[in-house]
Amino acid sequence: VSPGGCVPALSPRCPPAPGAVPPCPPDPAVSPLSPQTRAARVRGGKGDKLVTYEQAHPPHHIGHRKGWLSLHTGNLCGEAGAAQRALEDAFLRRFLHGTFPGLLADEVVLKRRGNLLVICALLGRALPPAKLYFLLGYAETLLGHFYKCPVRLELQTVPGRVPYKCL
Amino acid sequence: NLMGARLAGSHGDTQEPKTNPLVSISDEPETLYKRLSILVKGHDKAVLDSYEYFAVLAAKELGISVEKVDKPPKTIERFTLLKSVHIYKKHRVQYEMRTHYLCLELKYLTGSTAAVYLEYVQRNLPEGVAMEVKKTKIEKIPEHIQKPVWDTLPQVEETEVKS
């Protein structure tokens, strides 16, 4: 699919006829990006892939249709510590993916308020609540000792993944 | 029947008046601030707008006069990287980081008011938002420059200096 759509060429010498239809604007569904970008997006399939709202929107929608998954001040103008936060985020996501195997319904949201680290996760209902509470305490103590800061894990169980689109 | 009802916290006049342990009274003179400038930075404009409403409301409740609420233009930091791990120099990828600002200026505060307001407003700072505070203090002119020097010096007789 050629980017920009098809625009009928008007020669510069003859102005368009008074009754002529103006040229159609470029097709908004065809973005000016290269058609091979694969970053953070689920590419079109046969219609059997169920994706959540988070997965359905590509990264240029962040700030417009999507929010941020990790909230900290490292990336602001004149603030330091972006790399450390990014490393901590990567470790935390892998750790939580392993602590709650197969239970995470959506991406984990990490919030940092001062020293406190708040982790908000959506889980499925495969495990009984007693085991979930144990894993919650385990994760909080271990991460608290590891990062030397108070860690609070806020879990919420949902019946299942909510599909936004079928791609 | 209210006659027999006893209010839980009521006591007779025999007890001493309760002093709030959180309120401290000292004889030191208060530091006076002419201006308190708070610059708030964030990635999300909606978060900053709601924080502005909260901070202005808190200042009004505490009786602090807000001089102005300024919204400086956003800064965008962009960089262009190679899209591929190896070769393909012509294909790049661009990222940008937007920082929105909000500047609150409060005027004529005492030290304790400023401390209370700043503590309240900073405890409720949202995640992903940074704050910078600049205080302009008012001080008395030091004693040694209160009067101009030429009034206090004794009259010196002018002598001709031969070069």
Side-chain angles (χ1 to χ4, degrees):
Chain A
V1 182
S2 66
C6 39
V7 175
L10 290 170
S11 63
R13 283 185 194 173
C14 39
V21 175
C24 58
D27 189 4
V30 182
S31 68
L33 290 173
S34 150
Q36 271 113 36
T37 23
R38 310 194 69 84
R41 61 198 89 205
V42 180
R43 302 216 56 102
K46 293 164 199 171
D48 55 345
K49 250 189 275 184
L50 291 170
V51 284
T52 56
Y53 187 89
E54 176 68 42
Q55 291 164 336
H57 289 86
H60 61 269
H61 284 134
I62 293 176
H64 303 277
R65 296 186 204 176
K66 266 169 95 162
W68 284 266
L69 286 177
S70 162
L71 297 152
H72 57 85
T73 56
N75 284 321
L76 291 170
C77 226
E79 302 286 333
Q84 282 86 353
R85 301 298 151 287
L87 189 65
E88 287 165 19
D89 291 351
F91 175 79
L92 283 165
R93 285 176 206 280
R94 282 175 187 250
F95 181 86
L96 290 162
H97 185 74
T99 321
F100 300 98
L103 287 173
L104 288 172
D106 209 344
E107 296 285 343
V108 164
V109 173
L110 303 167
K111 301 181 186 181
R112 283 182 183 82
R113 277 173 224 152
N115 204 17
L116 173 67
L117 172 61
V118 181
I119 305 173
C120 313
L122 280 177
L123 303 178
R125 290 181 183 165
L127 282 185
K131 296 197 179 174
L132 280 181
Y133 279 117
F134 167 75
L135 287 176
L136 176 113
Y138 156 81
E140 281 191 358
T141 6
L142 209 66
L143 290 172
H145 281 284
F146 191 66
Y147 282 122
K148 306 282 182 282
C149 66
V151 176
R152 204 162 69 196
L153 199 56
E154 282 167 16
L155 302 177
Q156 187 185 345
T157 50
V158 280
R161 280 197 183 186
V162 181
Y164 172 73
K165 243 179 166 179
C166 296
L167 289 175
Chain B
N1 188 15
L2 291 172
M3 290 296 288
R6 284 185 188 183
L7 296 168
S10 69
H11 298 280
D13 288 331
T14 50
Q15 292 221 345
E16 291 169 8
K18 283 185 191 168
T19 46
N20 193 350
L22 294 171
V23 175
S24 58
I25 303 167
S26 67
D27 289 328
E28 292 170 13
E30 285 263 13
T31 44
L32 301 171
Y33 293 111
K34 182 178 178 190
R35 195 184 299 130
L36 198 72
S37 175
I38 303 176
L39 178 70
V40 182
K41 303 187 273 195
H43 286 302
D44 200 349
K45 199 161 185 298
V47 166
L48 286 182
D49 289 342
S50 110
Y51 189 72
E52 171 205 349
Y53 176 75
F54 160 77
V56 165
L57 188 68
K60 278 193 191 151
E61 289 296 317
L62 284 175
I64 303 170
S65 53
V66 179
E67 198 180 330
K68 61 173 174 174
V69 176
D70 189 26
K71 292 195 185 172
K74 63 178 185 270
T75 47
I76 308 180
E77 188 193 333
R78 287 195 186 100
F79 41 92
T80 317
L81 304 171
L82 296 173
K83 193 193 268 192
S84 170
V85 163
H86 184 58
I87 53 173
Y88 303 115
K89 190 69 175 247
K90 285 188 211 169
H91 300 88
R92 312 258 180 146
V93 110
Q94 288 184 317
Y95 296 104
E96 67 177 30
M97 293 184 298
R98 296 186 181 183
T99 310
H100 299 269
Y101 298 97
L102 171 72
C103 189
L104 279 174
E105 292 198 7
L106 314 166
K107 56 179 180 183
Y108 302 137
L109 298 167
T110 52
S112 43
T113 317
V116 165
Y117 180 75
L118 283 175
E119 172 151 7
Y120 180 60
V121 137
Q122 281 165 6
R123 273 186 193 269
N124 290 309
L125 201 64
E127 48 277 330
V129 166
M131 186 197 269
E132 283 175 17
V133 176
K134 287 187 189 163
K135 299 177 189 172
T136 315
K137 223 180 353 182
I138 303 175
E139 279 183 353
K140 268 193 165 174
I141 302 178
E143 279 186 22
H144 57 273
I145 49 171
Q146 268 184 0
K147 288 185 182 167
V149 182
W150 48 85
D151 286 348
T152 49
L153 279 180
Q155 292 274 326
V156 177
E157 291 179 7
E158 287 186 5
T159 50
E160 289 180 16
V161 178
K162 290 187 181 173
S163 59

